Amino acid sequence: MDISKLKGIGKVRVEALQKAGYTDSDQLLYRFPKEYVDYDLRTPVGKLHSGQKAVFLARIKKTSMARFKGRIVTYATVFDETGEIVCVWFNQPYRAKQLEIGDTLLFSGLITRNKGKIEAMSPKTLPRDTHGIQPVYAPLCDIPGKTYASLVEQAYQNAGDLHDPLPEDLLQRFSLPSYAGALYAVHFPDSPEQLALALKRLSFEDMLLFRIVMRRMHESAGLGRALKANMTVIQPFIDSLPFKLTGAQSRVLNQCLSDMESDTPMARLVEGDVGCGKTVIAFALLYCAFENGCQGAMMAPTEVLAQQHYAEAKKLLEPLGVKVVRLIGAVKGKERKETLAALADGSADVVIGTHALITESVDYKHLGLIVTDEQHRFGVRQRTALERKGKTAPHTLVMSATPIPRTMALVLYGDMEVSVVDELPPGRKPVTTRVVPEDKRKGMYSFIGAAVAQGQQVYVVCPLVEESEVFDAMSATQTCLDMQKALPNTRIELLHGKMKSEEKDRILEDFAAHKSDILVSTTVIEVGVNVPNATIMVIEDAERFGLAQLHQLRGRVGRGDQQSWCFLMADPSERMRTMCSTNDGFVIAQKDLELRGPGDVMGVRQSGMADEHLIALAGDPVLMEEVGLACDRIFADPDSKESRRLIDYARTEMDKRGLIVARN
Ligand code: ADP
Ligand code: MG
């Protein structure tokens, strides 16, 4: 059905949808809910905890309104027989009128912590007899989620042939519902069980298609350039380092070098805990490419990290005659033109950058090696797109900071070889982690004060509040003010997402140069900097983070030779205890999988879209094994009609979604 035939949206929105590429109503069906709310899964108010997305039934006790920086804030205190909680809404003045004291309503939203007390952040309110499981759609082209749901309903009723790409016998063998059935259940689930099965079916399909394409690509990969790659070639670089490589670094480096000696392009994933020294391995390989007359590109997930790698690469590589350039947002105009020209004519040897490396038309004279410093922020999409830039297939190295459980690595990286850097540089003292409940905050502040007086530095990280960037900035500002009050003689700087990138850079540089003592920051990624003098990491509202994320953050301290600390602001819980009891990223990643489900481990929601969809159930070992079996079955007889059809379909489908870009 043509999108313009949908009822319930006006011309303006139809046009907006068309502009966004939606022309056929079927397309709406492939856009899955961002999450689900089960209105039958209700939490007693007394059991609500920060970080939880909760549904609770409560009675309104009192309401009030206030102004904060020109914004209207509405409060409602609500309760049940187990306790009470304050609900907060920003800029929704109509709320107050809807809330009748004495009414009992169903609330649904995120529970956060503010000054030690938990709050419900902008919860939805519903009639108390609301039941069932409901999909929540992210808004699209200003169409609110609710309206979107009604469009999906119309789309389904008018859907074309929902042809099942998977052969019947495969479905039967793995007890999976049909495609049409699964699609229906994803949008209109009757029960959590039915939904789970539908998601399993769709993930199964995605992962299978992905595995098929990876397998095909691997079998038909273009030839790369065999390099002269061994320790002797890179000796000048190794000799110039201010430290000796660890055993693990040497081992992994040798593995990579021998990969690069072959004309089958290297495809290696290097995993290793934060701080284990992966960057230097990458630099050594970039140097090796240089010695072979090849260019190398290194892609970092954020501007700040790219900048840091750039500075480090300049320091380590330029004295050896390597011309290092950067391609990040700050490089503009004439400088940018020159950089691009230098890459095209081969006068630049190594480029460090962000997404710009792939999103822009960057031409290389002879790209021989691509390093992706992944930190879990890239999808498969970007990686393969960059790989395409080489004329012969370049060698590729992916570095991942948080250890990825084996099953997940297989999905994300297909047939890549995996190396693990399982040793930290010598002299590192393990970071001591403590859970700090709110009533111990004062004590922690004096501890921090003493450390700062001794010349040490401190990170404070506040969680993102997804609903509102403004609120993020507010909560970080508040944290900053509180700290300043408690520690009047310290230099505190604030960093948040609403700042301009030049300002962010300045603040980070100042912190690195010890011109400030405490850095309060709202976002997780911005703290990717390396400041060995920072010895304390405070994580506000720690329950809001995934364990893997907490581990990443904690890895920002403990980089010098001083004893370092990580303070988790939270009430004791199994998750927090895990953090205190181990510094082993693999153990933590595994625990995270168990406790939260795979979607969260990867720092994405179980949203079901594109790359994320692929990842969503990747941690389920049983499912992964089934996918592997199915894939083997197909390749056992790759020339059969059925297999050929599925392999072709996998290619077109993955291409369409931008997941795979064939190399040649
Ligand atoms: P990550 O693996 O998290 O990317 P980095 O590469 O940023 O870790 O390394 C962390 C710090 O350890 C850097 O300051 C780096 O210079 C230092 N480092 C790396 N290898 C060694 C080593 N063998 N001995 C001493 N310090 C090292
Ligand atoms: Mg790193």
Side-chain angles (χ1 to χ4, degrees), residues 36 86 96 138 149 316 325 365 390 437 657:
Y36 296 87
V86 176
L316 293 175
V325 296
K365 179 93 185 289
R657 298 190 211 169

Side-chain angles (χ1 to χ4, degrees), residues 203-247:
S203 297
F204 182 94
E205 179 181 322
D206 270 9
M207 283 192 266
L208 180 61
L209 298 182
F210 180 71
R211 286 282 291 272
I212 289 174
V213 173
M214 290 304 265
R215 183 122 158 205
R216 246 295 128 92
M217 210 158 88
H218 203 73
E219 282 172 359
S220 64
L223 286 189
R225 234 185 95 181
L227 303 183
K228 197 164 176 308
N230 53 47
M231 275 296 180
T232 320
V233 174
I234 59 169
Q235 206 57 48
F237 174 78
I238 302 293
D239 289 343
S240 75
L241 289 175
F243 47 73
K244 216 173 134 286
L245 291 184
T246 64

Side-chain angles (χ1 to χ4, degrees), residues 44 198 297 359 461 510 662:
T359 52
V461 176
D510 281 358

Side-chain angles (χ1 to χ4, degrees), residues 80-148:
D80 68 2
E81 62 278 12
T82 62
E84 66 175 46
I85 185 168
V86 176
C87 303
V88 186
W89 294 270
F90 291 93
N91 272 346
Q92 302 181 6
Y94 55 87
R95 279 284 175 196
K97 290 192 211 100
Q98 295 173 344
L99 302 165
E100 285 277 349
I101 288 167
D103 270 3
T104 300
L105 294 171
L106 200 58
F107 296 82
S108 162
L110 179 70
I111 310 301
T112 59
R113 182 182 293 278
N114 184 20
K115 296 202 181 157
K117 282 225 177 86
I118 58 164
E119 293 177 343
M121 179 57 60
S122 309
K124 271 211 318 201
T125 55
L126 303 116
R128 59 182 302 176
D129 56 1
T130 308
H131 289 286
I133 177 162
Q134 271 192 22
V136 181
Y137 295 92
L140 175 68
C141 299
D142 274 344
I143 300 171
K146 239 191 178 150
T147 313
Y148 189 85

Side-chain angles (χ1 to χ4, degrees), residues 432-436 565-569 580:
T432 306
T433 304
R434 293 275 185 271
V435 177
V436 182
W565 299 84
C566 175
F567 297 126
L568 305 169
M569 303 306 297
C580 297

Side-chain angles (χ1 to χ4, degrees), residues 274-275 278-279 305 309 373 375 399 401 528 556 559:
V274 262
K278 295 182 290 294
T279 319
L305 270 173
H309 285 328
D373 190 357
Q375 311 252 348
M399 303 190 291
R556 298 297 149 209
R559 295 188 159 221

Side-chain angles (χ1 to χ4, degrees), residues 195-427:
L195 174 63
L197 195 60
L199 287 173
K200 178 182 162 179
R201 142 82 215 216
L202 295 169
S203 297
F204 182 94
E205 179 181 322
D206 270 9
M207 283 192 266
L208 180 61
L209 298 182
F210 180 71
R211 286 282 291 272
I212 289 174
V213 173
M214 290 304 265
R215 183 122 158 205
R216 246 295 128 92
M217 210 158 88
H218 203 73
E219 282 172 359
S220 64
L223 286 189
R225 234 185 95 181
L227 303 183
K228 197 164 176 308
N230 53 47
M231 275 296 180
T232 320
V233 174
I234 59 169
Q235 206 57 48
F237 174 78
I238 302 293
D239 289 343
S240 75
L241 289 175
F243 47 73
K244 216 173 134 286
L245 291 184
T246 64
Q249 282 171 320
S250 298
R251 193 187 70 241
V252 172
L253 190 51
N254 270 309
Q255 286 166 347
C256 298
L257 289 170
S258 71
D259 286 351
M260 285 162 59
E261 283 201 296
S262 158
D263 59 6
T264 304
M266 168 167 76
R268 188 171 287 276
L269 166 68
V270 171
E271 292 183 3
D273 227 339
V274 262
C276 70
K278 295 182 290 294
T279 319
V280 73
I281 297 176
F283 288 170
L285 297 175
L286 289 169
Y287 180 74
C288 177
F290 162 78
E291 282 288 335
N292 280 272
C294 287
Q295 289 169 304
M298 182 164 170
M299 184 157 72
T302 67
E303 295 261 319
V304 172
L305 270 173
Q307 180 57 37
Q308 202 186 1
H309 285 328
Y310 170 70
E312 192 72 12
K314 251 177 115 71
K315 201 169 84 193
L316 293 175
L317 293 172
E318 287 212 330
L320 302 169
V322 185
K323 173 78 182 143
V324 183
V325 296
R326 61 180 182 158
L327 209 57
I328 60 174
V331 181
K332 294 197 184 94
K334 186 159 160 268
E335 195 189 346
R336 199 169 194 93
K337 265 206 187 119
E338 284 168 6
T339 305
L340 290 171
L343 286 168
D345 69 18
S347 54
D349 302 308
V350 167
V351 60
I352 314 253
T354 50
H355 282 95
L357 284 184
I358 50 157
T359 52
E360 286 178 23
S361 46
V362 184
D363 276 325
Y364 297 89
K365 179 93 185 289
H366 37 223
L367 183 60
L369 170 67
I370 296 165
V371 180
T372 311
D373 190 357
E374 188 122 321
Q375 311 252 348
H376 281 175
R377 303 247 159 213
F378 286 123
V380 179
R381 183 192 314 242
Q382 287 91 338
R383 226 176 43 229
T384 45
L386 186 58
E387 275 167 38
R388 198 175 43 160
K389 298 225 175 243
K391 287 180 185 131
T392 48
H395 298 284
T396 58
L397 180 76
V398 177
M399 303 190 291
S400 178
T402 306
I404 306 170
R406 179 75 202 131
T407 49
M408 207 177 280
L410 209 61
V411 175
L412 289 173
Y413 303 100
D415 292 328
M416 283 193 148
E417 310 276 342
V418 180
S419 298
V420 182
V421 186
D422 50 4
E423 184 184 348
L424 291 178

